[in-house]
Amino acid sequence: DQHLKFAPGEGAFSWDSFEALKSMDLSGEEISILGPWLGPDKELIESVVHYFEEATGADVEYSGSDSFEQQIVIDAEAGSPPNIAIFPQPGLAADLASKGLLAPLPAETADWIRDNYAAGQSWVDLGTYAGADGAEALYGFFYKVDVKSLVWYVPENFEDAGYDVPQTMEELKALTDQIVADGETPWCIGLGSGGATGWPATDWVEDMMLRINTPEDYDAWTTNELPFDDPKVIAAIEEFGAFARNDDYVSGGAGAVATTDFRDSPQGLFASPPQCYMHRQASFIPTFFPEGTEVGVDADFFYFPAYAEKDLGKPVLGAGTVWAITNDSKGAQAFMEFLKSPIAHEVWMAQKGFLTPHTGVNTEVYTDPTVAKMNGILLNADTFRFDGSDLMPGAIGAGVFWTGMVDYAGGKDAAEVAASIQSTWESIK
Amino acid sequence: MDQLLFAVSTIIVGVFGCVAYFYFSNILLDRIYPAKGPNAGANINKANAIRPWLFVLPALLVLSLYLVYPVFSTFFLSMRDTRGEFVGVDNYVWLAGDDKFRESLGNNLLWLVIVPAASTFFGLVAAGLTDRIKWGSVAQSLIFMPMAISFVGASVIWKFIYDYRGDNQGEQIGLLNAIVEGLGGTAQTWITMPFWNNIFLMIILIWIQTGFAMVILSAALKGISEETIEAAYLDGASPLQIFFKIKIPQIWGTIAVVWTTITVTVLKVFDIVFAMTNGQWGTQVLANLMYDWMFRGSPDFGRGSAIVMVIMVLVTPVMIWNISNAHKENR
Amino acid sequence: MANLTLTNVVKTYGKVNVLRDINLDISTGELIVFVGPSGCGKSTLLRMIAGLEKITDGTLQIDGEVVNDVPPSQRGIAMVFQSYALYPHMTVRDNMAFALNIAKKPKAEIDAAVDRAAKALQLDPYLDRLPKALSGGQRQRVAIGRAIVRDPKVYLFDEPLSNLDAALRVATRIEISQLKEAMPESTMIYVTHDQVEAMTLADRIVVLANKGIAQVGSPLELYERPRTEFVAQFIGSPAMNLLPGTITATGPQTEVTLDAGGVGRADIATTEADMGKQVNLGVRPEDLVQTDGDAIFTGKVEIVEALGEVTLLYLPAKMSVGEGADSANQTHLLAKLPGIHEQLKGQTVSLTADPSKLQIFHDGVTMRG
Amino acid sequence: MANLTLTNVVKTYGKVNVLRDINLDISTGELIVFVGPSGCGKSTLLRMIAGLEKITDGTLQIDGEVVNDVPPSQRGIAMVFQSYALYPHMTVRDNMAFALNIAKKPKAEIDAAVDRAAKALQLDPYLDRLPKALSGGQRQRVAIGRAIVRDPKVYLFDEPLSNLDAALRVATRIEISQLKEAMPESTMIYVTHDQVEAMTLADRIVVLANKGIAQVGSPLELYERPRTEFVAQFIGSPAMNLLPGTITATGPQTEVTLDAGGVGRADIATTEADMGKQVNLGVRPEDLVQTDGDAIFTGKVEIVEALGEVTLLYLPAKMSVGEGADSANQTHLLAKLPGIHEQLKGQTVSLTADPSKLQIFHDGVTMRG
Amino acid sequence: MEMAGTKSRLTWAVNLAVGFLVLLWIIPTFGLLVSSFRDRDAISTSGWWTALSASEQNVIVRADAPDNARPDGAVWVLTGNVFDSGSGNVTAFGITSREPEAFAPGEVATHARGHQITVEANGDYRITYPEEPSGNRGQRLFVRAESPPSFTLDNYREVMFAEGMGKALLNTLTVTIPATIIPILVAAFAAYALAWMEMPGRALLIAAIVGLLVVPLQVAFIPLLKLHNNIGIGKGYLGIWLAHTGFGLPLAVFLLRNYMAGLPGEIIESARVDGASDFAIFRKIILPLSFPALASFAIFQFLWVWNDLLVAKVFLGTGEDQVVMTGRIVDLLGSRGGDWEILAASAFVSIAVPIAVFFSLQRYLVRGLLAGSVKGG
Ligand SMILES: Nc1ncnc2c1ncn2[C@@H]1O[C@H](COP(=O)(O)OP(=O)(O)OP(=O)(O)O)[C@@H](O)[C@H]1O
Ligand SMILES: Nc1ncnc2c1ncn2[C@@H]1O[C@H](COP(=O)(O)OP(=O)(O)OP(=O)(O)O)[C@@H](O)[C@H]1O
Ligand SMILES: [Mg+2]
Ligand SMILES: [Mg+2]
């Protein structure tokens, strides 16, 4: 059909899964999907959706919103939600589930995930919430994940200066000092993000949590079993501070960290002369590289390494979007079913910026070697952990954690910040 | 094309429906209480007692449905927790002890003092001055422009003013820092400067609201009887004196309206703080705090609603002032 | 302290020409009254002198200096507006004190000036009221007070007394008169519709008509020697009767035989050449007296209006219709007899007048040298 | 078509009492004129009749029905406002047609009515102008025209002629007079400051003073038999002279010996009991004539005002100061002599008057039965 | 007013003052305007004011791929120009990120790998390889260059010709026009009653309406949408009109009442005596005379609705035929919203209509509307 990006039957796609979809006849069925993706991302999700429409005859309407959180809450509370919502954070989905605003997925889905997703159980856990009656059930289905433990750099700059990609945290710190010693600035860090200012710092802290504490501590932390003001957490915050609060380490000095927009901060890598040599950010960031930048050549990334001495393996921090049914219908159920099919993943994989834990997909469709490389990081991970702030209650993970980090970057004491976050957490229990 | 047709026809139906209501309800009233016959006098009085209500009815209906009812539901929500269970005044108790709330309250009071005063002042000056010159209407539309720029646009605009670049982050792209550096100073992170960052945020709202004040005040200035101004000229008053002693007192009522409106806008100000700092660095305000609790992450309508109730209590003095004004006018 | 000279002054609003070619000299200390039909441009002329209205063409000089472009406040004038123009937000006291406050006069002086004016205008009880709580007349008095408390070189009054009752009008008129006398240096220009005001106050009267000046002169001059029929009829109330006729005898005294049959003899010198000319004989209602002898006009009294001290008689007649005439004396001859004469209604009376008081107009212009 | 009855009507603004206890009967077809000093409540009374102002107390009946609470539009009245109250956004034509349009009269009828009124008021050239482009007098005429085009039961005029020139004023007065005659059924209430208007138009005059009605009567009644000094002085211009004196002879004719020495004899019957009473002798300026014999007053002429047909003489004298007096005749005796008498200035003249024209007031009230 | 002698130094001062004020107010917007003609990289690396004149900048250009080198005698040569547009002026160049300005134009730099590079002042570069090179990535050249101001219309192209923008404009108009007119009508009647009609509790009502000005919209969304869903309006135009009407009414009533109360009472009384009903007075006297107030409110309501995104998102559906322009524009921005160049361009695209509305309604903010109606202060 005119919409289909890749002609059925051609290439390495799992076309059989596409053909299988045709058994469903959903002509006349309308399915509305609300998600946070806009612009190019919207086009990408739509390109996937077209295959579902083509196969089943359903009419799917995806709409993106820059204020997704607000809108889904209003729509769900008011009783006119879309059929399916795509939550960027599991926290909000859990919240809606507890108010009875989500429809549980069929019981067999959990099993399917366990079988078909790498580390399936953890994805099931992340998508399982308590409903209005308190009973736990699987509500959320993860589709499209991001890797966050990445450090971006310009290979030619490293080459010019004679630096090597560090393999351990110790090497990374040594390299950092080396760059300073060479009279240059190692890092670009920007926490600015308008109304969400501060969130990039939470990723840093989470990555550090995983690098100095056990995964169990991390899990406990996200549920507040390990209090926020525990020395372990404070240590992680200070690890972040070791980079961000050192005037020599960050471009513009520590004072600029909080106000520099995260979208502007990678620009320093590409300046002449370079303003910095490294930038820790998730897999989406190339969108904000200068126009024409070719990832893999002009810029590249390496795994944000772990301490060799700590023996915590190679932890990877990631995130993903949770799909949930907010307004049950035959079409909605069918669409969730579609998300299980390899073709739903491959179509996006074949374009850009899509990682998936789905083990049944044909990774040959990746046209972008860097994405393949990211998948490599994902696969090499000894530990995969979901973004902690997304798991915390909204008031923390999308509230005081952000603001606390901004305060910390601004010079406040880590213990003080942690204590104040903890006290808010307690107030909402 | 279909939609154009639909749009046009709905516009016509909507607007005419509105007019028809007023027209026919009036006629109906006159039918019910005809101004003729044996008890014409009584009828007329009854009709006259009812008629004002006919006029305000649609407004009252819409208002109570779209504003009063939400206010009440907000009030009830403010006494519930996230699970919807009744918790009495717990949310208010929590509020009283919350640092962010205290900070917001303090900031809001600051906003309430500075923004309405400054916007009204600049609006008045702009209205007064542009009134006297040939290219006044062009000048007015330029000053008015910020009002017309969508909010997303405005937030970018001010990024280009307040942006800060550290030592080796390349040249400044924020105008303010470029000027400061041009004058030999050191660049500042304006939006994190304690206390002053509040002022920098207020400047944005002042920049926007001045256009509002200007348009309303300009209309009022134009309504002033010209002969009184001529008389004042003859009395030897300078243009400045005329402005302050003749024009301003005559539009005092309108100034009060503008002031009130901006005050209320300030209480609701949210977008600016949200987009520029999200209330960090000590710039939190009530409306943004409310938004945080209402829609961030996992919504807590109870607390959000409690904050809304506080905002509404804050407006009470303004309301009382308006009541007394309306009384005075009606003698 | 100021003399004014208007030279070829013209005023147009867009395309509407309102005044054309006004030439006028007003000397220091004069009190000039502008009269003329409603809408003839009196207010406009006043406003141009004040500087409130641009002068379209021509020049205005004050004390020999061209002031066309001098702003109003620099001209040293005070003006009483026809529509009051009170400051609605100020009390009566503040309205009157405004100009002095602006001039930064000492408070005591201001209070004294305001109190004096308020007393004279009987405004003392209202000093603390706002204009909207005043009656029409009271407002007008405040407007006058505002001019009085200042001490300008030139006063401009636009119908200042039109809303006052008779007693107060006389009082205020006299107040203005005394003001004038107390300040012989200040020049005053005064617009009025009131004959008595015009006659009693004016040093000279300017009659405006037809976008221009019809005649300038002292009140008596205008009354006794009107140059045109228009002025003759406009000055004096009721207006002068104009009776069409033909000159039947010339010489130092001229005889006019009226179309209606009567004969009038006027102390106006004419020459042979004027013989037989079609003219109008002008006679003021108040100059007519009942006679048994030679009558200018004989007719039946149709209407009698007894005004107390005088009685107006209306006698149907074929009159010459002048521009300045009342509609009444376009169809009736009017006579104004002292005393009460209600009994004359329906009777036929013969009327004559002193030859010295008659006027003769040819083509609308007086035949008096 | 309508008679009005006011019973104990009272008006207060807040605490300010403006009118108290007004009782008045106006019959169908009457033309009543309200006169009184500025601010005495004339406009207020008119506005209450129109229904624009709440009646604080008392009742107003139109055709026997209490209408205190009937809205203005239902009372069948037309009103000319003292302050014009034109619709600023409508042309003159639309202003005048407004009421008829509201009443959904056919277009032709409206046009005819407007054109007729415009012609009568000489407004035809301005029909398409907005009020702001009109002169003061033109605006006032539009306001009148607006009332005229309608055909109301009751006309209320608040100083309708105050901005018109003499000629137009007479013309409009006569227009109103004719209007009245053409519609003998319609009742008119008319506020004016103009003596002539009051005297010529009124069937009855209501003199308001001191928040109440001082006297009601026909014009001549008020002129000839004023009940109080106030009315005596208020009606007639210049005001009546009031000379203090003592009754020195009683009977059908009463003799008053003035404090200043003169003697006046009035055709007023008194009894012995009145002997020696302190009274004021009232004599109108126009009733004074020069005499060689017994003089009421002899004095030196200080000021002479020649008005053309008459001359005003001012003689310094100790006068009785009445409420309605001009400030002039609180210090001077005024005489109004027919003709021009400028030569009298500085001369001593003796003045007397006809006994039938003199008034005697005791405690401010007439002694006439 | 056409007063004599008004041309004076004062007029100058006023002109200057207005000029200054306008400048102050316009500079931020002007920055946005300039930015809307720049590309994103330029925006985030240099101040907008630098775009107005030629400026010296350090840039990195990639030379042609070594694969394209041609043999020239014993060596292999690669030539080209560092400027896309072909014009510019190089003041220094370098070949490593460490020393980006090491060489003056014309000097020869020798790369660690052995090849030699030279860049001329006009931007021409020449790379000579001792032996045949290979690779498809060219050498990075660090150039300090004076580049002329460069502007692009791409941003506007992207905004204006984005898919569905025309439809969205229509949708926006469908929302905006009734949502502007209906509240004006409803408010005008109410304002008249509150200003000129006798009714008990008037002052209280006025105050209550003023009080409602403060209600934050966000609290109204859920109950109202619930209401709409319950009574069957659901999401759609009717709902959004009503919503905008409700949200706009307090300000409208407040503004209009205040204005109407200031009209001269005699005019209204006169109309009353002329037999006009309240409806007729409203229509024929109050409405025309309130035009300045109506126009000002119309401007504000129009703007607010036009620029609104939130209310539209909540009360309108997401279908093609209900997405408004602001929604479409937000669509153009990536999910993380960093496309300032698009924001800037779209701000100016969407400002056009409001400014036109402002201009056309500004005519009604006229002077002397009441002139000649009454006399007296
Ligand atoms: N709103 C008000 N509050 C208090 N007093 C008022 C108010 N309006 C009028 N007055 C007073 O009531 C009195 C009567 O006013 P009104 O306008 O009826 O006088 P008037 O007889 O028409 O006078 P004029 O001939 O000057 O027009 C005046 O003294 C005036 O000051
Ligand atoms: N803005 C204007 N545009 C056009 N014509 C105007 C304007 N203002 C006044 N006029 C006309 O100019 C003429 C003179 O007006 P002006 O006010 O000077 O008359 P006036 O002599 O004062 O009359 P009145 O005695 O009635 O006050 C009038 O015919 C009037 O209609
Ligand atoms: Mg005039
Ligand atoms: Mg009055």
Side-chain angles (χ1 to χ4, degrees), chain C residues 43-74:
Chain C
S43 299
T44 306
L45 191 52
L46 222 57
R47 290 169 56 81
M48 285 197 289
I49 294 172
L52 295 173
E53 206 71 74
K54 278 240 163 71
I55 294 173
T56 312
D57 207 357
T59 56
L60 166 68
Q61 287 162 287
I62 298 184
D63 286 337
E65 213 182 304
V66 176
V67 295
N68 284 34
D69 289 327
V70 173
S73 56
Q74 311 285 318

Side-chain angles (χ1 to χ4, degrees), chain C residues 135-137 163, chain D residues 39 41-44 82 158-159 191 193:
Chain C
S135 78
N163 275 300
Chain D
K42 302 180 293 295
S43 299
T44 307
Q82 191 167 4
D158 199 353
E159 307 199 26
V191 171
H193 282 130

Side-chain angles (χ1 to χ4, degrees), chain E residues 121-145:
Chain E
N122 68 359
D124 287 343
Y125 64 84
R126 181 186 165 90
I127 307 176
T128 42
Y129 297 89
E131 51 211 56
E132 181 173 1
S134 70
N136 57 6
R137 290 307 274 180
Q139 164 76 37
R140 287 197 302 176
L141 300 176
F142 296 82
V143 176
R144 178 159 187 79

Side-chain angles (χ1 to χ4, degrees), chain B residues 225-239 241-242 244-250 328-329 331, chain C residues 47 50 52 72-73 77-79 81 83-90 95 98-102 104 146 150:
Chain B
S225 141
E226 257 177 74
E227 272 166 341
T228 61
I229 294 164
E230 294 180 347
Y233 263 110
L234 285 170
D235 274 349
S238 68
Q241 286 170 321
I242 289 180
F244 285 110
K245 297 191 168 161
I246 304 295
K247 290 186 179 174
I248 289 192
Q250 290 196 57
K328 238 185 274 160
E329 235 171 76
R331 215 190 316 116
Chain C
R47 290 169 56 81
L52 295 173
S73 56
I77 41 181
M79 176 158 176
F81 288 78
S83 55
Y84 321 142
L86 301 184
Y87 308 129
H89 57 292
M90 295 186 193
N95 258 285
F98 184 73
L100 300 183
N101 276 325
I102 290 290
K104 298 227 178 0
R146 221 167 42 178
R150 296 175 53 195

Side-chain angles (χ1 to χ4, degrees), chain A residues 39 156-157 163 263 298, chain E residues 62 98 137 140 331 335-336:
Chain A
E156 282 158 309
N157 286 353
Y163 302 144
R263 291 160 284 216
D298 296 326
Chain E
R62 214 172 260 288
R98 279 294 161 93
R137 290 307 274 180
R140 287 197 302 176
D331 270 357
S335 302
R336 290 177 178 83

Side-chain angles (χ1 to χ4, degrees), chain C residues 43 82 158, chain D residues 136:
Chain C
S43 299
Q82 191 166 6
D158 199 351

Side-chain angles (χ1 to χ4, degrees), chain A residues 33-34 38 42 46 61-65 71, chain B residues 3, chain E residues 163-176 235-237 240 305-306 308-309 311-332:
Chain A
I33 302 176
L34 179 66
L38 295 162
K42 182 179 176 188
E46 278 172 345
E61 180 129 43
Y62 168 83
S63 61
S65 173
Q71 214 176 323
Chain B
Q3 186 175 359
Chain E
E163 198 195 340
M165 202 54 96
K167 183 92 171 159
L169 173 69
L170 206 59
N171 294 340
T172 298
L173 287 174
T174 312
V175 173
T176 312
K235 290 184 164 205
Y237 286 111
I240 197 169
V305 178
W306 182 267
D308 159 77
L309 175 63
V311 179
K313 285 251 175 201
V314 173
F315 290 99
L316 277 183
T318 50
E320 269 291 276
D321 54 351
Q322 296 197 344
V323 173
V324 293
M325 234 168 74
T326 41
R328 271 277 175 262
I329 288 172
V330 168
D331 270 357
L332 290 178

